[in-house]
Amino acid sequence: MFRIKLNNSINLEKATKVIATIGNFDGVHEGHKKLLRQLDSKGKEYNAWRVVITFDILPREYFADQVNTLRLPRIGLLRDKIRVLAETNLVDEVVVLHFNSYLAKLSPEEFIDQILKKKLKVSHMLVGHDFHFGNKASGSIHDIIDAGIDCEEFSEVCYDNVRISSSLIRELASEQNLSLIKKYLGHNISYTSRVVYGNQIGRKYGVPTINLELRKIRPVLWGIYVGFVYIDGHRYNGVISIGKNPTVGDGKVYKVEAHLLDVDLNLYGKIASVEILYYLRPELKFTDLDTLFNQIHQDMQDARDFFAQIQE
């Protein structure tokens, strides 16, 4: 467990009450934000410290790894989640639980006692309408109430008669429907991580790229995009590749790579964020590197044309 304090105006040690909500919060979409507004309202009513409990890795990723099946794709990385939660100004603290065998085996009663009560001192909770927790997802809101924690249920959120969910965002991502994704998220999809060394092939062809560390995370988007790249407070225009780089890769590792247009900087080790603006084309496997980089140069020109249009 690690804790990220977002509100420095309140002394956590002096907070007499803690109200919490719990979930994956993948993407922090408009449904999540409505829940957070209710958390904020209840927090002010109870004069309580507002806490979001979330996970990294996510429970579904842990269980997929246990049976060696494909992980569900993530809408955002942990840094993106924390950034969006902070921007809402509705949360005082984010608590991140690393989901592992220990957490997976906890009964609902053990999770309530060891995590909610002893470690976080939760007095009130707000949970989703379909919330389940503990070993084999056997716990529900009733277990929390029975344990003496005041708990309320948050109903599902609809937008234009559509239920907003992370599953819906993933479906839209498979269709490259970036405009609806932005509508339901309230922001563009971004991926934020540390810049790590790649295979250096792009630099040899005059197209240096930055590679973001994903580890085993599977991103929700897949293809070649135009977007902004943020590093050290600066914003750059870029072409962004999300996938497995099949022409030069082994097809086993997911990658987010970005070429900064007309910029060549040494950025290794820095934290970078790519914001996806526009879908260019699917990821393809080319017969050779010359063909690949001919296409990449065309992608770069298409990206320049896109940025020229939005600046008019």
Side-chain angles (χ1 to χ4, degrees):
M1 172 190 296
F2 64 96
R3 307 172 71 164
I4 303 101
K5 188 177 179 182
L6 303 180
N7 185 353
N8 292 317
S9 65
I10 300 176
N11 187 338
L12 174 59
E13 300 302 323
K14 294 183 179 180
T16 57
K17 296 180 181 178
V18 175
I19 183 168
T21 187
I22 183 170
N24 292 328
F25 288 91
D26 190 18
V28 194
H29 53 62
E30 290 295 336
H32 292 139
K33 292 172 188 174
K34 187 171 182 179
L35 185 153
L36 294 175
R37 287 192 288 273
Q38 189 169 338
L39 181 79
D40 174 58
S41 176
K42 292 294 181 182
K44 291 176 179 175
E45 178 183 341
Y46 302 139
N47 192 27
W49 185 255
R50 304 161 300 174
V51 175
V52 167
I53 304 168
T54 190
F55 303 92
D56 198 75
I57 62 173
L58 305 184
R60 63 170 182 263
E61 293 173 336
Y62 169 82
F63 290 117
D65 291 348
Q66 295 307 297
V67 294
N68 198 29
T69 59
L70 189 64
R71 287 183 173 190
L72 276 175
R74 275 215 215 170
I75 300 168
L77 306 183
L78 180 60
R79 284 186 173 93
D80 303 296
K81 183 190 304 186
I82 293 170
R83 173 181 54 79
V84 178
L85 288 171
E87 289 172 352
T88 68
N89 291 316
L90 302 172
V91 180
D92 295 311
E93 183 181 26
V94 180
V95 174
V96 182
L97 303 179
H98 179 74
F99 199 87
N100 53 22
S101 60
Y102 167 75
L103 281 182
K105 293 175 182 176
L106 287 181
S107 68
E109 295 77 15
E110 289 170 331
F111 184 86
I112 293 169
D113 183 61
Q114 296 180 27
I115 305 297
L116 298 183
K117 285 187 169 182
K118 290 183 179 178
K119 291 190 176 181
L120 301 179
K121 296 178 172 47
V122 172
S123 55
H124 299 74
M125 286 203 73
L126 182 65
V127 299
H129 72 284
D130 57 353
F131 175 67
H132 288 86
F133 68 103
N135 183 256
K136 298 181 180 179
S138 57
S140 70
I141 183 174
H142 303 292
D143 295 283
I144 297 173
I145 295 172
D146 290 344
I149 296 176
D150 182 31
C151 190
E152 296 183 39
E153 189 175 80
F154 178 79
S155 59
E156 66 182 17
V157 177
C158 292
Y159 190 104
D160 291 342
N161 296 317
V162 176
R163 179 179 178 269
I164 302 175
S165 66
S166 297
S167 297
L168 173 62
I169 304 299
R170 293 187 196 98
E171 181 181 338
L172 294 171
S174 70
E175 302 166 357
Q176 303 293 350
N177 195 333
L178 299 183
S179 60
L180 265 185
I181 287 174
K182 184 177 181 179
K183 179 179 180 180
Y184 293 145
L185 284 181
H187 52 86
N188 291 315
I189 286 182
S190 296
Y191 289 106
T192 304
S193 189
R194 191 171 300 279
V195 178
V196 296
Y197 282 95
N199 53 30
Q200 305 287 301
I201 293 177
R203 182 169 295 279
K204 296 175 183 176
Y205 280 78
V207 189
T209 62
I210 62 170
N211 295 261
L212 299 190
E213 185 176 43
L214 288 185
R215 300 184 187 273
K216 296 173 68 175
I217 293 170
R218 179 185 173 203
V220 73
L221 291 178
W222 200 300
I224 312 302
Y225 302 86
V226 179
F228 291 130
V229 182
Y230 301 87
I231 303 173
D232 286 345
H234 299 283
R235 190 182 77 180
Y236 305 95
N237 297 339
V239 178
I240 299 154
S241 170
I242 305 176
K244 291 189 175 182
N245 201 344
T247 305
V248 298
D250 58 11
K252 296 180 180 179
V253 179
Y254 300 101
K255 297 181 179 180
V256 174
E257 298 180 77
H259 169 70
L260 280 56
L261 293 172
D262 308 311
V263 175
D264 187 4
L265 302 170
N266 184 355
L267 301 171
Y268 294 116
K270 293 185 177 292
I271 301 298
S273 179
V274 299
E275 179 186 2
I276 306 302
L277 302 177
Y278 180 75
Y279 173 66
L280 278 179
R281 63 173 177 86
E283 182 182 55
L284 302 170
K285 184 173 183 176
F286 294 90
T287 55
D288 54 65
L289 290 177
D290 289 334
T291 307
L292 167 64
F293 281 98
N294 284 339
Q295 179 60 59
I296 289 175
H297 282 286
Q298 181 60 56
D299 297 336
M300 293 162 59
Q301 185 55 52
D302 292 341
R304 291 188 181 97
D305 293 343
F306 171 84
F307 286 117
Q309 288 178 3
I310 65 174
Q311 291 170 2
E312 290 178 355

